[in-house]
PDB file of all heavy atoms in Angstrom:
ATOM      1  N   ASP T 365     -17.129  29.674 -28.263  1.00 81.00           N
ATOM      2  CA  ASP T 365     -18.131  29.015 -27.428  1.00 81.00           C
ATOM      3  C   ASP T 365     -18.187  27.519 -27.717  1.00 81.00           C
ATOM      4  O   ASP T 365     -18.319  26.698 -26.805  1.00 81.00           O
ATOM      5  CB  ASP T 365     -19.521  29.620 -27.670  1.00 81.00           C
ATOM      6  CG  ASP T 365     -19.640  31.046 -27.138  1.00 81.00           C
ATOM      7  OD1 ASP T 365     -18.751  31.466 -26.376  1.00 81.00           O
ATOM      8  OD2 ASP T 365     -20.607  31.730 -27.489  1.00 81.00           O
ATOM      9  N   ALA T 366     -18.068  27.170 -28.996  1.00 85.00           N
ATOM     10  CA  ALA T 366     -18.239  25.779 -29.405  1.00 85.00           C
ATOM     11  C   ALA T 366     -17.156  24.868 -28.834  1.00 85.00           C
ATOM     12  O   ALA T 366     -17.444  23.740 -28.408  1.00 85.00           O
ATOM     13  CB  ALA T 366     -18.251  25.681 -30.930  1.00 85.00           C
ATOM     14  N   LEU T 367     -15.901  25.338 -28.790  1.00 88.00           N
ATOM     15  CA  LEU T 367     -14.810  24.473 -28.340  1.00 88.00           C
ATOM     16  C   LEU T 367     -14.922  24.126 -26.857  1.00 88.00           C
ATOM     17  O   LEU T 367     -14.851  22.937 -26.504  1.00 88.00           O
ATOM     18  CB  LEU T 367     -13.462  25.113 -28.666  1.00 88.00           C
ATOM     19  CG  LEU T 367     -12.240  24.252 -28.337  1.00 88.00           C
ATOM     20  CD1 LEU T 367     -12.315  22.896 -29.025  1.00 88.00           C
ATOM     21  CD2 LEU T 367     -10.953  24.979 -28.735  1.00 88.00           C
ATOM     22  N   PRO T 368     -15.068  25.095 -25.944  1.00 90.00           N
ATOM     23  CA  PRO T 368     -15.180  24.712 -24.524  1.00 90.00           C
ATOM     24  C   PRO T 368     -16.417  23.868 -24.229  1.00 90.00           C
ATOM     25  O   PRO T 368     -16.366  22.978 -23.381  1.00 90.00           O
ATOM     26  CB  PRO T 368     -15.225  26.052 -23.790  1.00 90.00           C
ATOM     27  CG  PRO T 368     -15.573  27.071 -24.812  1.00 90.00           C
ATOM     28  CD  PRO T 368     -15.029  26.564 -26.108  1.00 90.00           C
ATOM     29  N   ILE T 369     -17.526  24.140 -24.930  1.00 92.00           N
ATOM     30  CA  ILE T 369     -18.718  23.302 -24.765  1.00 92.00           C
ATOM     31  C   ILE T 369     -18.423  21.882 -25.251  1.00 92.00           C
ATOM     32  O   ILE T 369     -18.774  20.891 -24.594  1.00 92.00           O
ATOM     33  CB  ILE T 369     -19.923  23.897 -25.522  1.00 92.00           C
ATOM     34  CG1 ILE T 369     -20.374  25.199 -24.847  1.00 92.00           C
ATOM     35  CG2 ILE T 369     -21.082  22.903 -25.559  1.00 92.00           C
ATOM     36  CD1 ILE T 369     -21.427  25.960 -25.638  1.00 92.00           C
ATOM     37  N   GLY T 370     -17.744  21.784 -26.386  1.00 94.00           N
ATOM     38  CA  GLY T 370     -17.394  20.481 -26.931  1.00 94.00           C
ATOM     39  C   GLY T 370     -16.471  19.692 -26.018  1.00 94.00           C
ATOM     40  O   GLY T 370     -16.628  18.477 -25.851  1.00 94.00           O
ATOM     41  N   VAL T 371     -15.518  20.375 -25.413  1.00 94.00           N
ATOM     42  CA  VAL T 371     -14.590  19.709 -24.489  1.00 94.00           C
ATOM     43  C   VAL T 371     -15.333  19.212 -23.248  1.00 94.00           C
ATOM     44  O   VAL T 371     -15.117  18.078 -22.785  1.00 94.00           O
ATOM     45  CB  VAL T 371     -13.442  20.665 -24.104  1.00 94.00           C
ATOM     46  CG1 VAL T 371     -12.618  20.077 -22.961  1.00 94.00           C
ATOM     47  CG2 VAL T 371     -12.550  20.938 -25.312  1.00 94.00           C
ATOM     48  N   ALA T 372     -16.216  20.043 -22.700  1.00 94.00           N
ATOM     49  CA  ALA T 372     -17.007  19.631 -21.536  1.00 94.00           C
ATOM     50  C   ALA T 372     -17.868  18.409 -21.867  1.00 94.00           C
ATOM     51  O   ALA T 372     -17.945  17.454 -21.081  1.00 94.00           O
ATOM     52  CB  ALA T 372     -17.878  20.786 -21.058  1.00 94.00           C
ATOM     53  N   LEU T 373     -18.500  18.431 -23.037  1.00 96.00           N
ATOM     54  CA  LEU T 373     -19.316  17.291 -23.469  1.00 96.00           C
ATOM     55  C   LEU T 373     -18.463  16.035 -23.638  1.00 96.00           C
ATOM     56  O   LEU T 373     -18.900  14.925 -23.309  1.00 96.00           O
ATOM     57  CB  LEU T 373     -20.033  17.619 -24.779  1.00 96.00           C
ATOM     58  CG  LEU T 373     -21.266  18.512 -24.672  1.00 96.00           C
ATOM     59  CD1 LEU T 373     -21.769  18.874 -26.061  1.00 96.00           C
ATOM     60  CD2 LEU T 373     -22.369  17.814 -23.879  1.00 96.00           C
ATOM     61  N   ALA T 374     -17.251  16.211 -24.151  1.00 97.00           N
ATOM     62  CA  ALA T 374     -16.368  15.064 -24.366  1.00 97.00           C
ATOM     63  C   ALA T 374     -16.074  14.349 -23.050  1.00 97.00           C
ATOM     64  O   ALA T 374     -16.176  13.116 -22.958  1.00 97.00           O
ATOM     65  CB  ALA T 374     -15.067  15.522 -25.022  1.00 97.00           C
ATOM     66  N   PHE T 375     -15.713  15.105 -22.022  1.00 97.00           N
ATOM     67  CA  PHE T 375     -15.396  14.469 -20.741  1.00 97.00           C
ATOM     68  C   PHE T 375     -16.647  13.964 -20.022  1.00 97.00           C
ATOM     69  O   PHE T 375     -16.557  13.045 -19.205  1.00 97.00           O
ATOM     70  CB  PHE T 375     -14.597  15.430 -19.862  1.00 97.00           C
ATOM     71  CG  PHE T 375     -13.167  15.561 -20.290  1.00 97.00           C
ATOM     72  CD1 PHE T 375     -12.715  16.710 -20.919  1.00 97.00           C
ATOM     73  CD2 PHE T 375     -12.270  14.526 -20.093  1.00 97.00           C
ATOM     74  CE1 PHE T 375     -11.399  16.833 -21.343  1.00 97.00           C
ATOM     75  CE2 PHE T 375     -10.948  14.628 -20.503  1.00 97.00           C
ATOM     76  CZ  PHE T 375     -10.514  15.786 -21.134  1.00 97.00           C
ATOM     77  N   PHE T 376     -17.815  14.538 -20.343  1.00 97.00           N
ATOM     78  CA  PHE T 376     -19.074  14.037 -19.804  1.00 97.00           C
ATOM     79  C   PHE T 376     -19.452  12.704 -20.463  1.00 97.00           C
ATOM     80  O   PHE T 376     -19.906  11.762 -19.799  1.00 97.00           O
ATOM     81  CB  PHE T 376     -20.185  15.065 -20.028  1.00 97.00           C
ATOM     82  CG  PHE T 376     -21.551  14.598 -19.589  1.00 97.00           C
ATOM     83  CD1 PHE T 376     -21.896  14.586 -18.248  1.00 97.00           C
ATOM     84  CD2 PHE T 376     -22.485  14.168 -20.525  1.00 97.00           C
ATOM     85  CE1 PHE T 376     -23.151  14.144 -17.836  1.00 97.00           C
ATOM     86  CE2 PHE T 376     -23.742  13.735 -20.135  1.00 97.00           C
ATOM     87  CZ  PHE T 376     -24.070  13.719 -18.777  1.00 97.00           C
ATOM     88  N   ILE T 377     -19.256  12.626 -21.766  1.00 97.00           N
ATOM     89  CA  ILE T 377     -19.599  11.425 -22.515  1.00 97.00           C
ATOM     90  C   ILE T 377     -18.639  10.272 -22.211  1.00 97.00           C
ATOM     91  O   ILE T 377     -19.017   9.091 -22.267  1.00 97.00           O
ATOM     92  CB  ILE T 377     -19.598  11.731 -24.028  1.00 97.00           C
ATOM     93  CG1 ILE T 377     -20.753  12.684 -24.376  1.00 97.00           C
ATOM     94  CG2 ILE T 377     -19.687  10.464 -24.879  1.00 97.00           C
ATOM     95  CD1 ILE T 377     -20.665  13.252 -25.785  1.00 97.00           C
ATOM     96  N   LEU T 378     -17.399  10.594 -21.872  1.00 98.00           N
ATOM     97  CA  LEU T 378     -16.336   9.602 -21.711  1.00 98.00           C
ATOM     98  C   LEU T 378     -16.717   8.430 -20.792  1.00 98.00           C
ATOM     99  O   LEU T 378     -16.621   7.261 -21.205  1.00 98.00           O
ATOM    100  CB  LEU T 378     -15.062  10.294 -21.245  1.00 98.00           C
ATOM    101  CG  LEU T 378     -13.804   9.441 -21.114  1.00 98.00           C
ATOM    102  CD1 LEU T 378     -13.467   8.758 -22.437  1.00 98.00           C
ATOM    103  CD2 LEU T 378     -12.638  10.312 -20.647  1.00 98.00           C
ATOM    104  N   PRO T 379     -17.146   8.668 -19.549  1.00 98.00           N
ATOM    105  CA  PRO T 379     -17.497   7.520 -18.697  1.00 98.00           C
ATOM    106  C   PRO T 379     -18.728   6.765 -19.188  1.00 98.00           C
ATOM    107  O   PRO T 379     -18.820   5.546 -19.006  1.00 98.00           O
ATOM    108  CB  PRO T 379     -17.742   8.158 -17.326  1.00 98.00           C
ATOM    109  CG  PRO T 379     -18.037   9.594 -17.603  1.00 98.00           C
ATOM    110  CD  PRO T 379     -17.256   9.936 -18.821  1.00 98.00           C
ATOM    111  N   ILE T 380     -19.643   7.477 -19.827  1.00 98.00           N
ATOM    112  CA  ILE T 380     -20.841   6.817 -20.361  1.00 98.00           C
ATOM    113  C   ILE T 380     -20.449   5.862 -21.486  1.00 98.00           C
ATOM    114  O   ILE T 380     -20.886   4.702 -21.530  1.00 98.00           O
ATOM    115  CB  ILE T 380     -21.850   7.864 -20.869  1.00 98.00           C
ATOM    116  CG1 ILE T 380     -22.295   8.773 -19.721  1.00 98.00           C
ATOM    117  CG2 ILE T 380     -23.061   7.189 -21.513  1.00 98.00           C
ATOM    118  CD1 ILE T 380     -23.140   9.959 -20.155  1.00 98.00           C
ATOM    119  N   ALA T 381     -19.590   6.335 -22.391  1.00 98.00           N
ATOM    120  CA  ALA T 381     -19.121   5.493 -23.492  1.00 98.00           C
ATOM    121  C   ALA T 381     -18.331   4.301 -22.953  1.00 98.00           C
ATOM    122  O   ALA T 381     -18.484   3.173 -23.445  1.00 98.00           O
ATOM    123  CB  ALA T 381     -18.263   6.315 -24.452  1.00 98.00           C
ATOM    124  N   ALA T 382     -17.491   4.544 -21.950  1.00 98.00           N
ATOM    125  CA  ALA T 382     -16.699   3.455 -21.365  1.00 98.00           C
ATOM    126  C   ALA T 382     -17.604   2.396 -20.735  1.00 98.00           C
ATOM    127  O   ALA T 382     -17.368   1.194 -20.873  1.00 98.00           O
ATOM    128  CB  ALA T 382     -15.733   4.017 -20.327  1.00 98.00           C
TER     129      ALA T 382
END
Side-chain angles (χ1 to χ4, degrees):
D365 291 347
L367 184 56
I369 291 172
V371 170
L373 282 174
F375 284 107
F376 176 77
I377 292 169
L378 184 57
I380 299 172

